Amino acid sequence: MADTLFITDNRTGKKIEIPIEHDTVRATDLRQLKVKDDDFGMMTYDPALMNTAAVKSRITFIDGDKGILRHRGYPIEQLAENSTSFLEVAYLVLFGELPNDKQRTDWRIKIRHHTIVHESIKKLMEAFRYDAHPMGMFISTIAALSTFYPEAKELNDPENRMTQICRLIAKVPTIAAFAYRHSKGAPYIYPDNELTYAGNFLNMMFRPSSKEYTINPVLERALTVLFILHIDHEQNCSTNVMRSVGSSHVDPYSAVAAAAAALWGPLHGGANEAVLHMLDEIGSVNKVPAFIKEVKEGKGKLMGFGHRVYKNYDPRAKVIKNLAYQVFNVTGKNPKLDIAIELERIALEDEYFVKRKLYPNVDFYSGLIYQAMGFPLDLFPVLFAIPRTAGWLAQWQEHVTDPEQKITRPRQIYLGYGERNWIPMDKRK
Ligand code: CMC
């Protein structure tokens, strides 16, 4: 049986046979279908890119129906359980293999070399208002980094690309912590390269300026796991932005800033913050049924539920739910946990949610942990962006080295006016 698709264009009677590869057909093969010779040819229409594969990738695999997520073939559950360091998983995602001992040490040294930011970046951040949203500060500061490293636009040099990748992975926790301390009016704490990726971040966040700060190993481990769980998620909204913006061959700092902006939206990485606002609004367990009723009547969404790809329990949410109990043993239970559990219980039994295959996603429980650990709500999207930077960069690297890729440029179906003549001001309605 040949892997081809026969199409008959009933407008003209023309028959074409086009190849099927990896269960897809090439949209450009349809261009042969024309009514007139000077027609552009047939296109596909796919708002929100629901059924369009725009890249070939070897990084992350998701089976949304089965609730499977793997990076470079390794199930997310195994990575979360066995990997003791975020940088090890970042190495895997970027280079395709788990590092051996020497590779892991060299990689750590490489990243640590870049953790500090230029003093002018610090001054730049001081210019933000005291109540600026940390994600706004994060996005702008990442964009500003491109002015510090003008050589970053030399994309054809693999060594140069790798330097920028290391710089970005190293600097995002520093910028995130500085954004937090700026909003507190607290002095910035510089990176401590003796600490782990997550430990260093906790130290920069929470160490009182003149005192020692002891990092709780359970919380450090929890943050490492949360970082691992958020590292990549194939072609989601922000990754698509990273690839699209990167396809213009702009420098990676500008592309990461754009991807982070996409992540900030409440339908994407901003959902973890929105979940906590929703739990506050509900207030108590006995108000959950009334809230669910309102959602079903179309008066809002159950934040942290539903996913474009997962039509099953998000595997990351399962790991996070278990992690929550370990964290609460140290911090005390987040009082909103009971509301969240009741929401989940009712939603998973309710026909509205069952029929639409709406399950908790990664954002449903992560915010409860972040809050219990002392992170303010508006820092939650930044906590998502820190580990996702490594994923964006792996996807960007794959994109800019893929000989099949070009500048991203979708088509449109134009439904506006045909040509018409200019109307002088005194004749306009
Ligand atoms: N609460 C209530 N109803 C929902 C929800 C929800 N959270 N999500 C989807 N639905 C309904 C939706 O109204 C629609 O119903 P109907 O068929 O009657 O019109 C149906 O389910 C299908 O939804 P959709 O909007 O077509 O699904 P989508 O694939 O376009 O949207 C989503 C996916 C994640 C944007 C959406 O589920 C949502 O807005 N969820 C809440 C926000 C959220 O938690 N986002 C985090 C996503 S995971 C982290 C990340 O990677 O960003």
Side-chain angles (χ1 to χ4, degrees), residues 267-268 271 301-308 352 356 361 363:
L267 299 187
H268 193 7
K301 277 187 170 171
L302 183 48
M303 299 311 287
F305 259 69
H307 201 275
R308 170 63 56 80
Y352 175 95
R356 290 171 177 77
N361 59 47
D363 291 316

Side-chain angles (χ1 to χ4, degrees), residues 159-265:
E159 209 177 305
N160 179 36
R161 272 202 315 270
M162 195 43 66
T163 304
Q164 314 315 324
I165 288 175
C166 293
R167 275 195 182 126
L168 269 157
I169 294 174
K171 290 186 198 315
V172 283
T174 314
I175 291 169
F178 282 14
Y180 167 73
R181 294 192 77 104
H182 175 77
S183 65
K184 302 290 273 183
Y188 302 149
I189 301 289
Y190 283 71
D192 180 342
N193 287 336
E194 297 306 308
L195 301 173
T196 66
Y197 194 79
N200 171 47
F201 178 59
L202 286 171
N203 189 58
M204 288 189 290
M205 283 286 300
F206 297 126
R207 197 178 97 199
S209 38
S210 56
K211 291 196 200 127
E212 283 305 300
Y213 168 68
T214 312
I215 301 164
N216 184 298
V218 176
L219 302 188
E220 184 181 5
R221 172 72 194 145
L223 193 60
T224 297
V225 173
L226 284 162
F227 279 174
I228 291 172
L229 294 176
H230 284 87
I231 195 164
D232 192 52
H233 213 230
E234 54 116 306
Q235 307 312 315
N236 56 81
C237 176
S238 55
T239 302
N240 180 48
V241 168
M242 182 77 197
R243 283 183 176 259
S244 266
V245 173
S247 79
S248 75
H249 289 188
V250 72
D251 68 88
Y253 301 97
S254 304
V256 168
L263 184 75
W264 192 5

Side-chain angles (χ1 to χ4, degrees), residues 201-371:
F201 178 59
L202 286 171
N203 189 58
M204 288 189 290
M205 283 286 300
F206 297 126
R207 197 178 97 199
S209 38
S210 56
K211 291 196 200 127
E212 283 305 300
Y213 168 68
T214 312
I215 301 164
N216 184 298
V218 176
L219 302 188
E220 184 181 5
R221 172 72 194 145
L223 193 60
T224 297
V225 173
L226 284 162
F227 279 174
I228 291 172
L229 294 176
H230 284 87
I231 195 164
D232 192 52
H233 213 230
E234 54 116 306
Q235 307 312 315
N236 56 81
C237 176
S238 55
T239 302
N240 180 48
V241 168
M242 182 77 197
R243 283 183 176 259
S244 266
V245 173
S247 79
S248 75
H249 289 188
V250 72
D251 68 88
Y253 301 97
S254 304
V256 168
L263 184 75
W264 192 5
L267 299 187
H268 193 7
N272 49 18
E273 186 181 346
V275 169
L276 268 283
H277 288 302
M278 176 187 74
L279 296 176
D280 277 338
E281 190 194 318
I282 297 172
S284 63
V285 171
N286 61 352
K287 298 206 177 113
V288 169
F291 182 79
I292 294 266
K293 187 167 168 279
E294 285 190 356
V295 169
K296 285 161 60 180
E297 287 165 0
K299 294 182 191 150
K301 277 187 170 171
L302 183 48
M303 299 311 287
F305 259 69
H307 201 275
R308 170 63 56 80
V309 181
Y310 292 121
K311 301 300 164 199
N312 201 322
Y313 214 102
D314 181 335
R316 301 167 299 174
K318 269 189 202 155
V319 179
I320 292 178
K321 195 174 171 187
N322 292 334
L323 199 63
Y325 291 101
Q326 293 166 33
V327 170
F328 297 159
N329 275 338
V330 175
T331 61
K333 193 171 91 177
N334 188 325
K336 291 175 202 120
L337 177 69
D338 291 338
I339 307 175
I341 286 179
E342 182 64 358
L343 264 179
E344 180 186 334
R345 189 188 67 76
I346 298 187
L348 292 183
E349 284 174 0
D350 191 292
E351 204 220 325
Y352 175 95
F353 295 90
V354 174
K355 204 170 89 189
R356 290 171 177 77
K357 299 191 175 162
L358 300 171
Y359 291 86
N361 59 47
V362 69
D363 291 316
F364 192 62
Y365 287 106
S366 59
L368 289 170
I369 305 184
Y370 293 145
Q371 193 174 45

Side-chain angles (χ1 to χ4, degrees), residues 98-125:
L98 285 167
N100 62 28
D101 203 29
K102 179 173 184 312
Q103 286 166 329
R104 194 172 63 167
T105 308
D106 291 351
W107 173 236
R108 272 194 198 137
I109 293 170
K110 240 181 178 168
I111 298 292
R112 283 174 190 179
H113 189 67
H114 293 290
T115 48
I116 207 132
V117 291
H118 194 286
E119 283 296 291
S120 298
I121 282 283
K122 229 179 76 184
K123 289 193 197 125
L124 191 135
M125 295 188 79

Side-chain angles (χ1 to χ4, degrees), residues 39-60:
D39 278 353
F40 179 77
M42 185 165 286
M43 299 184 292
T44 54
Y45 175 57
D46 189 12
L49 305 177
M50 307 265 289
N51 197 39
T52 294
V55 304
K56 289 178 180 165
S57 183
R58 292 180 167 78
I59 302 171
T60 295

